[in-house]
Amino acid sequence: NYKYESNIAQRVLRPRPSQVVKVALDGSGRPKAVEVIDASGYKALGFSIGSDSVIRYNMYSSPRGNACTLELVFRYQARMPYAPIHEVMEGRNERIKRFYAQVWFENSEDGERLINQTGYKAMHYGKEIAIERDDVSTFCSAVGSLSSRYVVPWSCNGAHAPLDYAMRVFWPALCKCLMTRTCDGDLTRLVHLSNSFRMLPGARGLHTGQVASSSARITSVRDSDAGRSVTVQGVVSVNGMAAIEVDSAFLFRGQAPDFEKNFTHTREKPIHLSLDSRSMVALLKAKEWFVLKPGFGSHVRVGSILRFSLESQCRFRSATAYAHIVSFGSVHAQGRCGEWEHVGDVDYESGAAHRNGAI
């Protein structure tokens, strides 16, 4: 399949004030390489064509003070009567990720080593960050949070940090997820959709003086007509204790569907089941995936109320059909005083299917 695009060179080579263009010629006097120096004397662009008609096109940026290189590769097809320059798509996403590894990470090798990593269960970790007053103030200015409670110490524990400061801590682990082959897509076409935060039980929020760290994993990759949507979920920990759960969603625009790469890892909402008849009890106990703990058979009887706390891992073979399903978790029965007692577990696995038989 082919898709025609406007020639990127025509846009980036548009003349600008004080720009310097250097052209290198081969032995026959034909151009073989071009460099573009911007007004500040910085090399902004360079491209060359080899004897094999492969064009290597490099754009440079320096967000961290060091030159970061985005390499695109094209091939000149002289026999083509129209649009003779074809982009080499093999390895394109990986080349773009190498550029973002230089931009996002202090040490680009931290990102580059993840580019070929597969495995949707992989967990990624960010380094520990000390929450400092100046850093919180800079963050608040950037996002427009002007409350004095974020800069004025409220107690001996220091000043508050806004809840979305969790993204500042979460960012390194999030970027590691986006670098992996599991999250296969063109990062130049990545659109951020949403962030959500949930305070975990016992957490008191973020404030200066704390040391925070993060962990993250990809929990969903789904293809649709709009592109490939990716969800990353993780936890921000404070002084070693889990404090804030973060969900961040993205869309790779225009990504061609590849359902074999689609999966979801979902923590299901608790399911409450009231056993109102003997037939319901018999049907539940007959399920191979329902595993009662030894000695707890009497807890599953007519009138019992069960709570299923499950997680599901699903892979897909089409937009609506599953290729593989695994659901697992615990089952608790409600006692006479309202307490919940662990009476069994769920261990469900299925091949190709259109629904999750455990849910």
Side-chain angles (χ1 to χ4, degrees), residues 120-121 264-269 271 288-291 308-315 322 324-331 344-351 353 355-359:
Y120 64 93
K121 298 180 182 180
T264 58
H265 187 159
T266 309
R267 185 188 300 117
E268 308 287 356
K269 293 182 179 180
I271 301 171
E288 294 182 355
W289 46 262
F290 179 65
V291 183
F308 293 76
S309 301
L310 307 179
E311 292 186 34
S312 297
Q313 298 173 353
C314 305
R315 301 191 70 86
Y322 298 104
H324 186 247
I325 305 171
V326 173
S327 288
F328 57 92
S330 59
V331 182
D345 297 286
V346 169
D347 185 8
Y348 175 83
E349 185 171 3
S350 170
R355 56 183 292 273
N356 187 336
I359 304 297

Side-chain angles (χ1 to χ4, degrees), residues 188-207:
T188 65
R189 300 182 65 83
L190 183 69
V191 178
H192 181 247
L193 300 178
S194 65
N195 289 325
S196 63
F197 307 90
R198 184 173 71 90
M199 295 292 295
L200 299 176
R204 296 185 177 181
L206 305 176
H207 58 258

Side-chain angles (χ1 to χ4, degrees), residues 5-301:
E5 298 278 0
S6 60
N7 191 336
I8 186 175
Q10 293 179 345
R11 299 197 304 272
V12 298
L13 288 174
R14 178 175 57 84
R16 294 170 175 81
S18 302
Q19 187 181 68
V20 176
V21 179
K22 298 181 179 180
V23 180
L25 307 178
D26 62 15
S28 61
R30 294 185 302 179
K32 67 175 183 179
V34 174
E35 286 187 2
V36 177
I37 313 299
D38 64 20
S40 63
Y42 177 76
K43 183 179 177 180
L45 178 69
F47 61 92
S48 61
I49 184 168
S51 57
D52 56 357
S53 297
V54 173
I55 302 170
R56 298 195 177 276
Y57 196 94
N58 295 323
M59 292 179 280
Y60 304 96
S61 179
S62 55
R64 292 182 175 270
N66 298 322
C68 302
T69 305
L70 172 59
E71 181 187 44
L72 301 177
V73 181
F74 301 85
R75 179 173 282 106
Y76 177 66
Q77 307 275 19
R79 69 180 186 277
M80 299 295 294
Y82 176 74
I85 298 177
H86 291 196
E87 185 169 6
V88 177
M89 302 306 293
E90 182 179 357
R92 181 178 187 272
N93 289 345
E94 289 74 18
R95 290 191 291 272
I96 292 172
K97 285 185 176 182
R98 290 192 193 98
F99 169 72
Y100 280 97
Q102 300 169 61
V103 173
W104 286 344
F105 300 96
E106 294 181 9
N107 182 0
S108 62
E109 292 182 359
D110 291 343
E112 290 181 5
R113 70 167 63 100
L114 299 171
I115 291 176
N116 293 317
Q117 185 183 95
T118 57
Y120 64 93
K121 298 180 182 180
M123 185 72 73
H124 302 279
Y125 299 91
K127 65 180 182 179
E128 290 187 340
I129 296 175
I131 303 177
E132 299 177 350
R133 183 174 175 180
D134 289 344
D135 193 37
V136 173
S137 180
T138 300
F139 177 85
C140 291
S141 297
V143 301
S145 296
L146 304 178
S147 173
S148 61
R149 71 195 301 263
Y150 300 138
V151 293
V152 178
W154 59 277
S155 73
C156 60
N157 292 325
H160 283 285
L163 182 61
D164 51 356
Y165 184 83
M167 283 303 301
R168 163 76 174 83
V169 181
F170 187 59
W171 180 253
L174 169 63
C175 290
K176 288 181 179 180
C177 291
L178 296 177
M179 295 299 295
T180 64
R181 186 176 292 275
T182 304
C183 187
D184 188 22
D186 178 357
L187 287 177
T188 65
R189 300 182 65 83
L190 183 69
V191 178
H192 181 247
L193 300 178
S194 65
N195 289 325
S196 63
F197 307 90
R198 184 173 71 90
M199 295 292 295
L200 299 176
R204 296 185 177 181
L206 305 176
H207 58 258
T208 56
Q210 294 175 328
V211 176
S213 60
S214 62
S215 60
R217 66 176 176 178
I218 302 172
T219 57
S220 174
V221 174
R222 295 298 310 272
D223 290 341
S224 66
D225 292 340
R228 173 166 293 169
S229 59
V230 176
T231 302
V232 177
Q233 184 180 85
V235 172
V236 171
S237 299
V238 175
N239 298 335
M241 300 294 292
I244 302 171
E245 186 177 81
V246 183
D247 285 280
S248 197
F250 301 86
L251 175 71
F252 288 97
R253 294 175 299 162
Q255 185 80 11
D258 186 355
F259 295 108
E260 290 184 357
K261 296 181 179 179
N262 287 193
F263 70 90
T264 58
H265 187 159
T266 309
R267 185 188 300 117
E268 308 287 356
K269 293 182 179 180
I271 301 171
H272 290 83
L273 176 65
S274 178
L275 301 178
D276 297 327
S277 65
R278 291 181 179 179
S279 60
M280 288 185 65
V281 174
L283 181 62
L284 178 62
K285 289 185 175 182
K287 298 294 185 181
E288 294 182 355
W289 46 262
F290 179 65
V291 183
L292 271 170
K293 292 177 64 178
F296 283 85
S298 61
H299 289 68
V300 180
R301 59 183 184 273

